[in-house]
Amino acid sequence: MSEALSRTMEIRKHVVETERGIVASQHRLASEAGAEVLRAGGDAVDAAVACSFVCGVLEPWMSGPAGGGAAMHWRADRGEAHALDFGMRAPAGLKTEDFPLSGEGAATDLFPWERVVDDRNVVGAKAVAVPALVDGLEAAHRRWGRMPWAELVAPAIAHAREGMRVDWYAALIIATATRDLARDPDAAAMFLTDGQWPRPFSWTGIAEDRIDQSRMADSLDILARDGAAAMHGGDLGAAMAQDIRDKGGYLTLDDLAGNRARFKAPLSVAYRDALFHVMPGLTAGPTFACAMRELAGEQLSSPELAYPAYARALFAAYRDRLERMGHDGEIPECAGSTTHFSVVDRDGNMVAHTQTLLSLFGSRVVSPSTGFLMNNGIMWFDPVEGRPNSLGPGKTCLMNVCPVLGETTGRRFAFGASGGRKIVSAVTQLASFMTDFGMDLGAAFRQPRIDASSGEQIVADAALPAEVVRALEAVAPVKAARRSMLPYPFACPSAVMDEGGRHFGMTETMSAWGDAVAEGE
């Protein structure tokens, strides 16, 4: 914990409230794009498409068309939850022998896997998995969308034509990955100064620097006209795949054609007087379900006394996830770089949508033909052979994403978070705050949280009282961390809620760009 940070400064956000629709995302302009769609009469799904594409332009290191993810959809007219999986997959031509262990211990990125020689499963073209985000957006739009697809992609095209503005926050993010970005000429040309230096920015906010995203704008224009087919069987996908093979990766057009979005029956989790709907299969949904089942056996008399119970439930859930979940085995019921947004429209339809490149800047590789920053989904696999989630050709990636739909007496909400392995800790506690203790969105987001994703120690918000910390120390070693804009010691959630016909939206307090925007705002 930094001793230099101010102890008297307070950062707050207010809850957005309206009778109409709301979009809550990690980028204000993406939320505005989605809210404008709602104002024009669009469905929550239409707003999600617009928000998703703008996120990929203005938060390119978190997500984009060359990524994947999952979404939970609530259809108010039928009272039904739908799970939509657009996760990534290992290319069919992947060679496991290309990923020898280095013998240098654990990797340094998001997972405790053994380190691979040259970090090939983390950085570079060999780390690129098969994306499916665009197909996921189109699958939902095809089923429920009201507005023309091209109109929904248009805001992202406009932002890409203008180029993402590099403010202090963007400059700091880019600076953290400068060394790896410099290894790929196309990533270096897009994000760095003279191909090797962090981008400068004006402390006064007067000077303006923008990233050249004109090639990305051209590719988005193709997607606006031709839809997901351009990526999953068309010339755009073929060019992107060829770029990755030219850089030493495995991606092919056949891989893209074969990895399509899939609607699935949601995993429904009863918890006390509440019901949650999450993603099944190779996501963090089963891990959330496990944590909530563990938590149901605990007595939670107050938020302050609940933290040790949260830690025990999360440790059990993460242990089950890391030991048992994988592509080849049965998925047990108890089992980075990402962005999450949540949408509610005036009719009460909801979307909880999480999309990702996995690591910050994904593989740190840009496809020059498309202008897309590529994912590093291969890092989701354990590089050690013979384990449930071991690396292999054609295997489905085990994602950390956990979009959630929840309902309790008089309330319905959609939420999720970014933050890799930290996501489940965040959404589990938010679920408990809102159902066990009746907190509204503002109170739930302000409440201090813990993270137990390491499986060995608890990272606790430094704002927690000393007696709470002592109780946590009886469960596992505790490390205190202050919530800050950078770095993020905890996950970054976004949520919307429907209560008595009034709609509410909120984003993580410490998210510098994140905001909830009402459709009339």
Short mmCIF file of all heavy atoms in Angstrom, two decimals, residues 31 104 122 141 159 165 219 225 232 254 263 270 316 391 397 419 433 436 444 452 471:
data_model
loop_
_atom_site.label_atom_id
_atom_site.label_comp_id
_atom_site.label_asym_id
_atom_site.label_seq_id
_atom_site.Cartn_x
_atom_site.Cartn_y
_atom_site.Cartn_z
N SER A 31 -21.11 4.76 -22.90
CA SER A 31 -22.42 4.84 -22.25
C SER A 31 -23.32 5.82 -22.98
O SER A 31 -24.52 5.58 -23.17
CB SER A 31 -22.27 5.26 -20.78
OG SER A 31 -21.57 4.29 -20.04
N GLU A 104 11.26 -21.43 -14.90
CA GLU A 104 11.52 -20.22 -14.13
C GLU A 104 10.43 -19.91 -13.11
O GLU A 104 10.34 -18.79 -12.61
CB GLU A 104 11.68 -19.03 -15.09
CG GLU A 104 12.84 -19.18 -16.05
CD GLU A 104 12.90 -18.05 -17.06
OE1 GLU A 104 12.04 -17.15 -17.00
OE2 GLU A 104 13.81 -18.06 -17.92
N VAL A 122 1.52 -15.61 -23.65
CA VAL A 122 1.06 -14.32 -23.13
C VAL A 122 1.23 -13.20 -24.15
O VAL A 122 0.33 -12.39 -24.36
CB VAL A 122 1.82 -13.97 -21.83
CG1 VAL A 122 1.37 -12.61 -21.29
CG2 VAL A 122 1.65 -15.05 -20.78
N HIS A 141 -28.54 -9.27 -31.51
CA HIS A 141 -29.27 -8.29 -32.31
C HIS A 141 -30.25 -8.97 -33.26
O HIS A 141 -31.38 -8.48 -33.47
CB HIS A 141 -28.27 -7.44 -33.11
CG HIS A 141 -28.93 -6.43 -33.99
ND1 HIS A 141 -29.14 -6.64 -35.34
CD2 HIS A 141 -29.43 -5.20 -33.73
CE1 HIS A 141 -29.74 -5.59 -35.85
NE2 HIS A 141 -29.93 -4.69 -34.91
N HIS A 159 -16.00 7.55 -33.92
CA HIS A 159 -14.93 7.72 -32.94
C HIS A 159 -13.59 7.25 -33.50
O HIS A 159 -12.55 7.88 -33.26
CB HIS A 159 -15.26 6.95 -31.67
CG HIS A 159 -16.24 7.63 -30.78
ND1 HIS A 159 -15.98 8.84 -30.18
CD2 HIS A 159 -17.50 7.27 -30.38
CE1 HIS A 159 -17.02 9.20 -29.44
NE2 HIS A 159 -17.96 8.28 -29.55
N ARG A 165 -8.61 9.97 -28.12
CA ARG A 165 -7.82 11.03 -27.50
C ARG A 165 -6.99 10.44 -26.35
O ARG A 165 -7.51 9.69 -25.51
CB ARG A 165 -8.72 12.14 -26.98
CG ARG A 165 -7.97 13.31 -26.36
CD ARG A 165 -8.94 14.45 -26.04
NE ARG A 165 -8.24 15.55 -25.39
CZ ARG A 165 -8.14 15.69 -24.07
NH1 ARG A 165 -8.68 14.78 -23.27
NH2 ARG A 165 -7.51 16.72 -23.54
N SER A 219 -12.33 -1.06 -41.09
CA SER A 219 -12.78 -2.43 -40.78
C SER A 219 -14.15 -2.42 -40.13
O SER A 219 -15.01 -3.27 -40.43
CB SER A 219 -11.76 -3.11 -39.86
OG SER A 219 -10.51 -3.24 -40.50
N ARG A 225 -21.54 -2.92 -42.74
CA ARG A 225 -22.23 -3.28 -43.99
C ARG A 225 -22.49 -4.78 -44.11
O ARG A 225 -23.56 -5.20 -44.57
CB ARG A 225 -21.40 -2.81 -45.18
CG ARG A 225 -21.43 -1.30 -45.38
CD ARG A 225 -20.69 -0.86 -46.63
NE ARG A 225 -19.25 -0.75 -46.39
CZ ARG A 225 -18.34 -1.60 -46.89
NH1 ARG A 225 -18.73 -2.60 -47.66
NH2 ARG A 225 -17.06 -1.44 -46.65
N HIS A 232 -16.18 -13.86 -39.84
CA HIS A 232 -16.23 -15.31 -39.66
C HIS A 232 -16.40 -16.06 -40.98
O HIS A 232 -17.15 -17.04 -41.05
CB HIS A 232 -17.36 -15.67 -38.70
CG HIS A 232 -17.10 -15.21 -37.30
ND1 HIS A 232 -16.37 -15.94 -36.39
CD2 HIS A 232 -17.46 -14.07 -36.67
CE1 HIS A 232 -16.30 -15.29 -35.25
NE2 HIS A 232 -16.95 -14.15 -35.39
N ASP A 254 -10.77 -20.73 -41.37
CA ASP A 254 -11.59 -21.85 -40.91
C ASP A 254 -11.82 -21.79 -39.41
O ASP A 254 -12.91 -22.12 -38.92
CB ASP A 254 -10.93 -23.18 -41.27
CG ASP A 254 -11.02 -23.50 -42.76
OD1 ASP A 254 -11.88 -22.89 -43.43
OD2 ASP A 254 -10.26 -24.36 -43.24
N PHE A 263 -26.13 -19.57 -27.83
CA PHE A 263 -27.10 -19.37 -26.76
C PHE A 263 -27.15 -20.64 -25.91
O PHE A 263 -27.15 -21.75 -26.44
CB PHE A 263 -28.49 -19.07 -27.31
CG PHE A 263 -28.68 -17.64 -27.72
CD1 PHE A 263 -28.64 -17.27 -29.05
CD2 PHE A 263 -28.91 -16.66 -26.76
CE1 PHE A 263 -28.81 -15.95 -29.43
CE2 PHE A 263 -29.09 -15.33 -27.12
CZ PHE A 263 -29.03 -14.98 -28.46
N ALA A 270 -30.35 -20.28 -6.77
CA ALA A 270 -31.22 -19.82 -5.69
C ALA A 270 -30.36 -19.48 -4.48
O ALA A 270 -29.48 -20.26 -4.10
CB ALA A 270 -32.24 -20.90 -5.33
N ALA A 316 -13.12 -21.47 -1.21
CA ALA A 316 -13.64 -22.77 -1.64
C ALA A 316 -13.98 -22.77 -3.12
O ALA A 316 -13.68 -23.73 -3.85
CB ALA A 316 -14.87 -23.13 -0.81
N LEU A 391 -3.47 -26.75 -22.18
CA LEU A 391 -3.46 -26.21 -23.53
C LEU A 391 -3.61 -27.32 -24.57
O LEU A 391 -3.05 -28.40 -24.44
CB LEU A 391 -2.13 -25.48 -23.74
CG LEU A 391 -1.87 -24.82 -25.08
CD1 LEU A 391 -2.89 -23.72 -25.34
CD2 LEU A 391 -0.45 -24.25 -25.11
N CYS A 397 -11.58 -21.86 -24.39
CA CYS A 397 -10.89 -21.17 -23.29
C CYS A 397 -11.77 -21.10 -22.05
O CYS A 397 -12.98 -20.91 -22.13
CB CYS A 397 -10.52 -19.76 -23.71
SG CYS A 397 -9.45 -19.64 -25.17
N GLY A 419 -11.60 -7.29 -14.44
CA GLY A 419 -10.59 -7.52 -13.41
C GLY A 419 -10.07 -8.93 -13.35
O GLY A 419 -9.50 -9.33 -12.32
N PHE A 433 -24.36 -7.93 -0.79
CA PHE A 433 -24.71 -6.59 -0.28
C PHE A 433 -26.14 -6.23 -0.63
O PHE A 433 -26.88 -5.68 0.20
CB PHE A 433 -23.77 -5.53 -0.88
CG PHE A 433 -22.33 -5.64 -0.47
CD1 PHE A 433 -21.33 -5.08 -1.26
CD2 PHE A 433 -21.96 -6.29 0.71
CE1 PHE A 433 -20.00 -5.17 -0.90
CE2 PHE A 433 -20.62 -6.38 1.08
CZ PHE A 433 -19.64 -5.81 0.27
N ASP A 436 -28.58 -9.76 0.91
CA ASP A 436 -28.55 -10.02 2.35
C ASP A 436 -28.81 -8.78 3.18
O ASP A 436 -29.42 -8.86 4.26
CB ASP A 436 -27.18 -10.60 2.75
CG ASP A 436 -27.00 -12.03 2.30
OD1 ASP A 436 -27.91 -12.85 2.54
OD2 ASP A 436 -25.96 -12.34 1.69
N ALA A 444 -24.00 -0.31 -2.11
CA ALA A 444 -23.26 -1.53 -2.45
C ALA A 444 -21.92 -1.20 -3.09
O ALA A 444 -20.90 -1.84 -2.80
CB ALA A 444 -24.10 -2.39 -3.38
N ALA A 452 -10.16 -12.49 -2.82
CA ALA A 452 -9.57 -13.75 -2.36
C ALA A 452 -9.17 -14.63 -3.52
O ALA A 452 -9.05 -15.85 -3.38
CB ALA A 452 -10.57 -14.49 -1.46
N ALA A 471 -10.49 -10.29 12.12
CA ALA A 471 -11.33 -11.46 11.85
C ALA A 471 -10.91 -12.14 10.55
O ALA A 471 -10.90 -13.37 10.45
CB ALA A 471 -12.79 -11.05 11.80
#
